[in-house]
């Protein structure tokens, strides 16, 4: 197999100048492709206590629970997670099961909480500002395995539904 000899561009004739390539583009300002934007969902920090908020058939349904501002409740939880410095994360889930105890939130322990014996806790009837405040108080102080829940929040703990056979 033979290769063609490399050719050089023709040299400009007398009285002409060599074209100058355009300058390299400057880096764009703002977040780079490797940095998440403010609106992009972020994965929970590896040390986060995670709130899994049910938004299934009954939880978060304004028809079934018209006196609850479900969107504001979720926004409050997410704002607290953003302000927590990575200690709290919030996710939503389709129906978690115990519909008679809506709104349901599962509090998953952080890895440190799990090492100290913490296990996921199912909280039912999270329908008012007091419940949301107590939930946030608990998870911002460590959550399962690291901090005791407020006594009135503990009254709202429900059993995890049994999986169907």
């Amino acid at each position: 197999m033979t290769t063609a000899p490399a050719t050089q561009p023709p040299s400009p004739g007398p009285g002409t100048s060599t074209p100058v390539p355009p300058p390299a583009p400057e880096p764009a300002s703002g977040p780079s492709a490797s940095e998440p934007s403010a609106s992009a969902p972020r994965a929970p920090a590896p040390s986060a206590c995670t709130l899994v908020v049910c938004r299934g058939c009954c939880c978060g349904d304004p028809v079934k629970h018209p006196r609850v501002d479900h969107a504001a409740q979720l926004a409050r939880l997410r704002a607290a997670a953003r302000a927590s410095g990575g200690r709290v994360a919030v996710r939503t889930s389709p129906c978690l099961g115990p519909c008679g105890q809506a709104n349901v939130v599962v509090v998953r322990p952080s890895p440190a909480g799990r090492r100290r014996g913490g296990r996921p806790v199912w909280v039912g009837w999270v329908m008012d500002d007091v419940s949301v405040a107590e939930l946030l108080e608990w998870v911002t102080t460590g959550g399962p395995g690291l901090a005791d829940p407020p006594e009135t929040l503990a009254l709202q703990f429900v059993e995890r539904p049994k999986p169907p056979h």
Side-chain angles (χ1 to χ4, degrees):
M1 175 191 227
T2 61
T3 58
T7 59
Q8 294 185 351
S11 60
T16 61
S17 62
T18 305
V20 177
E26 291 185 27
S29 61
S32 70
S34 64
E35 298 173 12
S37 70
S39 62
R42 297 178 185 183
S47 61
C49 181
T50 303
L51 298 174
V52 182
V53 181
C54 182
R55 283 299 179 251
C57 63
C58 296
C59 297
D61 186 337
V63 173
K64 292 186 179 182
H65 303 287
R67 294 187 182 121
V68 178
D69 187 344
H70 301 282
Q73 184 184 69
L74 188 57
R76 183 175 174 194
L77 294 172
R78 287 182 169 154
R82 282 191 302 276
S84 75
R87 293 186 332 251
V88 177
V90 174
R91 293 180 176 223
T92 58
S93 172
C95 186
L96 291 170
C99 298
Q101 297 152 337
N103 287 343
V104 175
V105 177
V106 178
V107 183
R108 296 177 59 204
S110 65
R114 189 166 281 280
R115 283 190 297 274
R116 294 197 48 203
R119 295 294 174 258
V121 175
W122 291 60
V123 184
W125 306 287
V126 182
M127 300 280 244
D128 58 27
D129 290 337
V130 173
S131 296
V132 172
E134 289 184 345
L135 190 64
L136 290 172
E137 175 190 334
W138 184 35
V139 298
T140 57
T141 58
L146 298 176
D148 291 328
E151 289 181 17
T152 52
L153 183 67
L155 294 172
Q156 294 175 238
F157 290 3
V158 298
E159 285 190 36
R160 176 183 179 182
K162 305 281 186 241
H165 288 82

